[in-house]
Amino acid sequence: MPTVQVGDLKDGDFLVDVREDDEWRAGHAAGALHIPISEFLARYGELTEAAPQDARVHVICRSGARSAQVTQYLAQQGLDAVNVHGGMQIWEAQGRPVVTDGGEPGFVL
């Protein structure tokens, strides 16, 4: 499973958050694309439209388990996809910004 650490992510990296709606509303990484794992197959086209040409897709969830499943699927589709190890829990623990849709400070649910 291709994996990266939260600390390896740079501003501007393409990030897909596969957590569910309630988790997303509580807080997420600014600029991430939200496609819940429960809707991922039906909404796959949104990812391919939003992803920059030939860009690596960084997949994140709360802890890394759901994002690992999505990363595996994307790799099978031929995309350069990597799982973000430790997910949003590590993101928040490392002091990276977690925001709500309104831009206010959020938290990881």
Side-chain angles (χ1 to χ4, degrees):
M1 169 69 52
T3 302
V4 296
Q5 303 298 317
V6 168
D8 295 333
L9 293 170
K10 298 172 190 63
D11 289 344
D13 282 346
F14 186 69
L15 185 65
V16 178
D17 189 324
V18 298
R19 295 175 303 145
E20 295 302 324
D21 290 337
D22 59 334
E23 295 172 289
W24 173 265
R25 282 190 301 272
H28 53 270
L33 173 66
H34 179 228
I35 304 178
I37 191 170
S38 62
E39 302 172 14
F40 197 83
L41 292 179
R43 295 177 56 190
Y44 175 72
E46 292 177 41
L47 173 102
T48 58
E49 288 178 17
Q53 186 78 15
D54 298 323
R56 172 170 277 178
V57 177
H58 300 84
V59 188
I60 197 165
C61 67
R62 182 174 182 269
S63 65
R66 290 173 284 180
S67 54
Q69 293 173 33
V70 172
T71 299
Q72 184 174 20
Y73 173 78
L74 293 175
Q76 290 170 348
Q77 306 310 306
L79 275 72
D80 179 11
V82 293
N83 185 35
V84 179
H85 178 75
M88 288 299 297
Q89 290 178 316
I90 300 297
W91 181 280
E92 184 178 49
Q94 289 188 359
R96 292 213 173 199
V98 177
V99 298
T100 65
D101 282 337
E104 295 89 23
F107 62 94
V108 175
L109 184 63

